């Protein structure tokens, strides 16, 4: 209504983005590459980027401009130590994720907890609950476990150097998780760069790439893009290659 049927460049990123791009014929950029582009253009003083997402964790070690490409590391297919792991632990504690952060900020003790796998973490968490350990301490222990898992999986002996940029939803919306990283890494406030919209860093990077690299983007009018992404196509594609329903109707189900 405000802009009219303008042309726009489209580039999709994120964990779910690749399937979306394959389904609708859109261009894709890997989210770590997109995040690195933001640092390269806007925050060249950053030496380490730590990104906790919903399903994966990333760490990028930036070198001097003449030292070559940054060292980019990303976890595998397991969601241990990511936002999904935190969601699972909060549901076991029967508190919303936001309340988990508020609880953790009041902790007095950290307890060891497995974070490699949610199954083992559940066992540790249930054990702590059965011993009547305060939920404040359990919440902080969950965040501490995430930090150790991220560093063990991605840092692999390399110490993250300041200036450090934290991004991704969990690190943006859960200050206690960020504080836990700072405590484990022994960081001061001046060692961390706070930026606006840190949860959107990959999206901002995708937009920056469309401005500089014409080969990785596609241009659409708004109406053409809406037509390409219409809900009929979404449902038709979602129902392809599916197994038949287990039951034909309610009577069959009964």
């Amino acid at each position: 209504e405000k802009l009219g049927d303008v042309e726009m460049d489209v580039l999709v990123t994120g964990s779910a983005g690749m399937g979306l791009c394959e389904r609708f014929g859109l261009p894709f950029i890997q989210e770590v590459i997109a995040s690195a582009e933001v640092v390269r253009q806007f925050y060249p003083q950053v030496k380490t980027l730590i990104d906790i997402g919903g399903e994966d964790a990333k760490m990028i070690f930036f070198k001097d401009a003449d030292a070559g490409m940054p060292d980019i590391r990303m976890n595998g297919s397991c969601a241990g130590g990511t936002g999904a792991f935190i969601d699972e632990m909060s549901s076991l504690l029967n508190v919303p994720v936001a309340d988990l952060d508020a609880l953790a900020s009041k902790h007095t003790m950290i307890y060891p907890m497995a974070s490699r796998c949610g199954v083992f973490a559940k066992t540790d968490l249930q054990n702590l609950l059965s011993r009547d350990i305060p939920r404040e301490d359990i919440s902080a222990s969950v965040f501490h476990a995430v930090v150790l898992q991220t560093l063990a999986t991605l840092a692999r002996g390399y110490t993250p150097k300041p200036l450090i940029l934290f991004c991704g939803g969990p690190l943006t919306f859960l200050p206690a998780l960020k504080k836990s990283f700072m405590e484990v890494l022994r960081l001061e406030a001046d060692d961390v760069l706070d930026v606006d919209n840190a949860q959107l860093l990959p999206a901002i990077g995708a937009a920056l790439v469309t401005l500089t690299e014409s080969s990785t983007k596609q241009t659409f009018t708004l109406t053409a893009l809406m037509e390409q992404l219409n809900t009929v196509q979404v449902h038709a594609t979602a129902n392809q290659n599916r197994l038949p329903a287990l039951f034909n109707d309610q009577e069959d189900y009964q």
Side-chain angles (χ1 to χ4, degrees), residues 9-248:
D9 298 324
V10 177
L11 190 55
V12 182
T13 189
S15 298
M18 186 173 289
L20 192 76
C21 290
E22 291 174 352
R23 191 178 301 166
F24 296 110
L26 298 172
F28 175 79
I29 182 171
Q30 214 285 334
E31 60 193 289
V32 185
I33 305 296
S35 297
E37 185 66 21
V38 180
V39 173
R40 187 182 72 81
Q41 292 196 36
F42 288 164
Y43 313 115
Q45 70 273 37
V46 168
K47 296 298 180 187
T48 308
L49 181 140
I50 299 175
D51 180 347
I52 304 291
E55 299 176 358
D56 43 40
K58 290 81 71 177
M59 199 174 287
I60 307 176
F61 301 109
F62 294 93
K63 304 171 185 175
D64 295 331
D66 56 353
M69 295 289 290
D71 184 351
I72 295 176
R73 303 177 182 188
M74 189 169 176
N75 70 343
S77 56
C78 181
T82 66
F85 175 86
I86 296 171
D87 286 345
E88 202 171 354
M89 297 306 107
S90 70
S91 71
L92 277 175
L93 286 168
N94 198 27
V95 296
V97 176
D99 291 357
L100 199 71
D101 185 82
L103 287 169
S105 65
K106 302 172 185 173
H107 80 280
T108 57
M109 184 81 178
I110 296 288
Y111 293 87
M113 180 182 293
S115 60
R116 181 72 181 172
C117 176
V119 176
F120 300 133
K122 284 180 184 177
T123 304
D124 287 345
L125 193 146
Q126 296 283 14
N127 180 37
L128 292 172
L129 284 172
S130 68
R131 290 159 50 196
D132 290 328
I133 301 299
R135 288 172 183 259
E136 290 83 356
D137 291 347
I138 298 176
S139 301
S141 300
V142 168
F143 290 153
H144 186 74
V146 169
V147 173
L148 296 184
Q149 171 67 12
T150 303
L151 296 176
T153 306
L154 301 178
R156 294 195 292 274
Y158 187 98
T159 303
K161 298 176 183 176
L163 206 57
I164 293 180
L165 174 57
F166 291 105
C167 65
L171 283 167
T172 302
F173 300 117
L174 302 173
L177 176 61
K178 181 178 174 181
K179 184 179 179 183
S180 188
F181 264 101
M182 293 179 67
E183 289 173 352
V184 172
L185 293 172
R186 298 178 183 176
L187 299 173
E188 302 294 334
D190 292 342
D191 296 328
V192 176
L193 178 66
D194 291 317
V195 301
D196 293 332
N197 300 312
Q199 76 279 17
L200 300 176
L201 216 67
I204 295 168
L208 289 172
V209 170
T210 63
L211 296 173
T212 56
E213 298 182 26
S214 58
S215 61
T216 56
K217 66 185 179 184
Q218 287 184 26
T219 302
F220 293 86
T221 60
L222 281 172
T223 51
L225 182 63
M226 284 189 286
E227 189 175 329
Q228 188 142 339
L229 296 174
N230 75 70
T231 53
V232 176
Q233 281 184 307
V234 172
H235 293 306
T237 318
N239 288 321
Q240 288 177 2
N241 302 318
R242 286 198 168 191
L243 294 171
L246 291 174
F247 309 102
N248 294 322

